[in-house]
Amino acid sequence: MKKKTRLIHGGVGRDPYTGAVSIPIYQASTFKQDGVGNFKYEYARTGNPTREALEKLIADIEGGSRGFAFGSGMAAITAVVQLFSAGDHLILTDDVYGGTFRVMTKVFNRFGVDVSFVDTTDLDKVERAILPNTKAIYIETPTNPLLKITDIQAVSKITKEQDLLLIVDNTFSTPYWQTPISLGADIVLHSATKYLGGHSDVVAGLVVAANDKLGGELHFIQNSTGGVLGPQDSWLLMRGIKTLGVRMEEIEANTRVIASFLAEHPSVEKVYYPGFEEHPGHTIHKNQAGGFGGMISFTVESEEKALDLLKKVQYFTLAESLGAVESLISIPALMTHASIPRERRLELGIEDGLVRISVGLEDVEDLLEDLGKALEQHTPNILKKPAHI
Ligand SMILES: *Cc1c(COP(=O)(O)O)cnc(C)c1O
């Protein structure tokens, strides 16, 4: 089965009880037992047919053994980290999602889970960071906002040799473009709030285990700690996933055009887009993923200029998040990465004038015109002051 077909016919396909082509929302918390212990579903934290259909679908499209749906991406990440114990050490990509950094350094540190943040694009640095108590390597590729690329297969070689788990946050690429389990990952996770949902209307997280053993452990944690996704949101996600292929293809085409436009624009200094041959991770990404995705970051001269751009755009909505039908725009230094001290931010390459866009499904000509107008030389306001001042 090809990818676009699997997005529609994968998992359980249609409702096994009624034949409904759209899996119904089983808005039920408990289920009648035919006798004590004789049941298909027991209690909806443990299992609900709508959620289970979504979990089977994501396991199928990621090529894993078992899937799990959570109330947010952070709840999914939390459940995965709960596989570990006090005294364990994890290695994480140094520019992981801000919420992942926060939960590791402000919550799980209190439970004795140690972490090192490492530039995982550099395999020597990854190997040197491994300690006797290291249990896993957790990567994001491409990263946010600079779209750095880590070689999944090369890291999986290290994790297999050293008997560690490889965990991949696949939010940016989605399983339509990249399936980390096929490259050696043990666990894949998502903020399904982004491309999988795709319509800015649901917050959700998904986890896929590559094998039954990890699947069993994750189900135990999901059922014990209870951060499950409700049936209505599970249904919304399945609905979103059906169009993931067409959305990702269209976003890919729009993004290429916009990245080239930005690269040639005189007001734009640098453009970060893995689809460019000059991007340091271009070849690795090309070998491990089918598309470059819908994220572009670029720098303009100053924070003032970036703020001016945000004010002028009409179709790029100023908002956090990404991966939806509408194009979004943000300034990482003032928004998602504001909590990082400026000096550290600059070290990471997150300049004051860095702008991040998530390309949506609008007509690309409108998007180009919008950006073009907004990037026109900023004329000082003095000229527009009323005469009496
Ligand atoms: C948004 C995001 C998360 C967190 O997901 P939520 O659904 O917001 O809890 C984790 N990882 C990445 C890469 C994200 O973009």
Side-chain angles (χ1 to χ4, degrees):
M1 212 191 293
K2 299 266 199 280
K3 266 197 179 155
K4 275 191 193 143
T5 312
R6 195 177 297 279
L7 294 171
I8 291 161
H9 294 282
V12 299
R14 60 191 66 76
D15 181 38
Y17 310 107
T18 64
V21 166
S22 161
I23 308 278
I25 300 168
Y26 286 96
Q27 197 71 47
S29 60
T30 194
F31 302 84
K32 178 182 177 292
Q33 305 192 7
D34 288 337
V36 176
N38 182 11
F39 53 80
K40 260 205 180 97
Y41 294 92
E42 181 185 17
Y43 182 65
R45 172 166 28 77
T46 316
N48 169 289
T50 314
R51 191 180 88 226
E52 192 179 281
L54 167 65
E55 294 177 332
K56 288 195 164 141
L57 179 62
I58 190 65
D60 196 2
I61 61 186
E62 282 285 5
S65 103
R66 198 158 168 189
F68 303 93
F70 294 89
S72 69
M74 289 318 305
I77 291 166
T78 294
V80 169
V81 178
Q82 284 167 338
L83 289 170
F84 304 101
S85 306
D88 288 349
H89 171 252
L90 312 180
I91 294 169
L92 274 77
T93 296
D94 58 358
D95 51 354
V96 277
Y97 177 73
T100 308
F101 181 83
R102 181 174 57 197
V103 79
M104 295 312 306
T105 56
K106 296 231 159 85
V107 180
F108 282 111
N109 63 322
R110 295 193 278 108
F111 294 85
V113 176
D114 283 330
V115 284
S116 301
F117 294 96
V118 173
D119 176 1
T120 53
T121 66
D122 184 335
L123 298 172
D124 287 340
K125 285 190 184 155
V126 173
E127 283 196 297
R128 281 202 301 270
I130 297 171
L131 303 174
N133 58 338
T134 304
K135 293 285 155 52
I137 300 180
Y138 178 116
I139 62 174
E140 260 176 51
T141 178
T143 59
N144 173 29
L146 294 178
L147 304 159
K148 282 160 56 181
I149 305 297
T150 292
D151 186 334
I152 300 174
Q153 210 157 17
V155 175
S156 88
K157 215 174 140 237
I158 298 173
T159 54
K160 285 191 166 51
E161 273 165 19
Q162 306 268 350
D163 204 15
L164 311 175
L165 291 180
L166 175 58
I167 303 160
V168 180
D169 181 333
N170 202 26
T171 302
F172 270 39
S173 277
T174 83
Y176 186 69
W177 291 136
Q178 177 171 280
T179 48
I181 289 172
S182 70
L183 301 163
D186 302 288
I187 295 171
V188 175
L189 60 89
H190 287 277
S191 168
T193 313
K194 316 296 167 56
Y195 289 105
L196 295 176
H199 295 73
S200 304
D201 53 14
V202 58
V203 173
L206 294 170
V207 177
V208 178
N211 59 56
D212 293 347
K213 179 175 170 285
L214 278 171
E217 288 173 32
L218 279 163
H219 184 252
F220 179 78
I221 288 169
Q222 185 193 39
N223 188 40
S224 303
T225 60
V228 294
L229 190 65
Q232 169 110 27
D233 286 347
S234 297
W235 180 86
L236 272 171
L237 265 194
M238 283 190 279
R239 176 170 156 132
I241 289 171
K242 285 179 206 207
T243 57
L244 180 69
V246 283
R247 285 188 286 114
M248 293 314 284
E249 295 281 358
E250 190 76 6
I251 285 172
E252 185 77 11
N254 280 0
T255 307
R256 261 174 217 283
V257 175
I258 292 170
S260 307
F261 169 82
L262 289 170
E264 276 162 27
H265 199 285
S267 303
V268 174
E269 292 171 353
K270 275 178 255 170
V271 180
Y272 298 89
Y273 173 59
F276 287 151
E277 272 171 34
E278 312 81 77
H279 186 290
H282 174 80
T283 309
I284 293 169
H285 186 82
K286 210 170 141 184
N287 289 336
Q288 68 190 12
F292 298 101
M295 303 301 296
I296 307 172
S297 292
F298 60 96
T299 54
V300 290
E301 181 191 303
S302 61
E303 183 181 295
E304 194 206 0
K305 177 92 195 168
L307 284 167
D308 185 56
L309 171 69
L310 259 57
K311 257 189 254 147
K312 286 181 175 163
V313 281
Q314 187 185 349
Y315 300 127
F316 286 86
T317 305
L318 170 61
E320 305 218 354
S321 199
L322 58 106
V325 293
E326 53 281 304
S327 295
L328 302 177
I329 191 163
S330 64
I331 301 183
L334 297 179
M335 298 168 69
T336 43
H337 293 67
S339 59
I340 306 174
R342 184 166 182 270
E343 225 160 86
R344 174 71 184 137
R345 262 202 327 260
L346 294 177
E347 266 171 31
L348 290 170
I350 304 169
E351 295 167 50
D352 298 337
L354 186 77
V355 178
R356 187 190 84 176
I357 58 176
S358 165
V359 178
L361 294 175
E362 298 91 343
D363 192 305
V364 74
E365 290 191 14
D366 284 333
L367 295 178
L368 288 180
E369 192 187 312
D370 198 23
L371 279 176
K373 276 192 189 152
L375 279 167
E376 268 168 27
Q377 279 312 314
H378 177 45
T379 36
N381 271 335
I382 306 165
L383 296 174
K384 288 175 193 148
K385 275 189 182 167
H388 63 268
I389 296 180

